[in-house]
Amino acid sequence: MKYFVVDAFAEKIFEGNPAGVCVMKDWLSDDLMQKIAIENNLSETAFAVREGAHYRLRWFTPGGEINLCGHATLATAFVIMNYYKKELSSVQFDTMGGLLTVNRIGDLYELDFPAVPSKEYPVTEQIIEALGVTPIEAFINRDLILVLESEEAVINANPDFVKLEKLPDGLGVCITAKGTEYDFVSRGFFPKLKVNEDPVTGSLHCSLLPYWAKRLDKKEMTAKQVSKRGGTLYCKHEDTRVKMAGKAALYSIADLYLE
């Protein structure tokens, strides 16, 4: 079976977020897909099968299947449009997170995702101790969103991942602040999924965009996830939808030998 690794939200390889991609004729068992994700040891491995007019898409982390993933969706669209269906400029995916669309616009791949609302959340001593810095605001959706005072605080944060994993709420933990060169910056941590820091996380921006659109009074923004690899997202907030565009770079094509 063909297996691709694509760096998503990347200008060139070794930037952005690497995702494994398998485009298949038929589904593998859940157990086998999980084992492949563990063996790959990337933050996500995406599996796609053509079903009618759309592709069905599923995402597996080393710690289990998840309901929404941006960078692996971009990577899968990149693979389909460049190696399977070169005539396509748009791909739709049926997923656990709903119907998702990726449009190719020049050398950018634009994700059309649902906006994710957040509720206010108390800044607890457990959060402060795990993060090593005191957030000025906190919100909860699928993930815990922590707003810090400055871009510098986001870049310099050195959380305790063991303590982050023990936080009672939030699948992941995101820290964010207003940017200097970019409209806002962020980092994302997912120790509960065996991924301490995710390089670039499209799904986090489904809730970051509504927050920063309101705070900055802007509909179009450029975001930077300031992980070690780093990644740039060109974003639009459109009421109940968010659009996130980025480039992608192919790192490898391999064969998986599965019994």
Side-chain angles (χ1 to χ4, degrees), residues 123-188:
V123 177
T124 64
E125 288 299 322
Q126 190 178 6
I127 289 173
I128 296 169
E129 186 176 345
L131 195 59
V133 64
T134 302
I136 58 175
E137 290 181 286
F139 302 90
I140 190 72
N141 44 73
R142 180 194 72 176
D143 307 300
L144 191 59
I145 308 298
L146 307 174
V147 183
L148 303 189
E149 287 187 353
S150 67
E151 178 178 325
E152 184 178 3
V154 173
I155 293 170
N156 293 332
N158 185 27
D160 184 318
F161 296 116
V162 174
K163 292 180 179 178
L164 281 187
E165 188 175 3
K166 293 179 180 177
L167 292 178
D169 296 313
L171 182 65
V173 177
C174 174
I175 56 176
T176 186
K178 184 179 179 181
T180 52
E181 183 180 354
Y182 301 89
D183 289 297
F184 64 91
V185 299
S186 66
R187 291 171 67 189

Side-chain angles (χ1 to χ4, degrees), residues 90-108:
S90 181
V91 181
Q92 289 190 308
F93 297 105
D94 288 312
T95 77
M96 288 174 63
L99 183 64
L100 307 178
T101 302
V102 182
N103 297 308
R104 179 163 54 186
I105 305 171
D107 58 356
L108 292 175

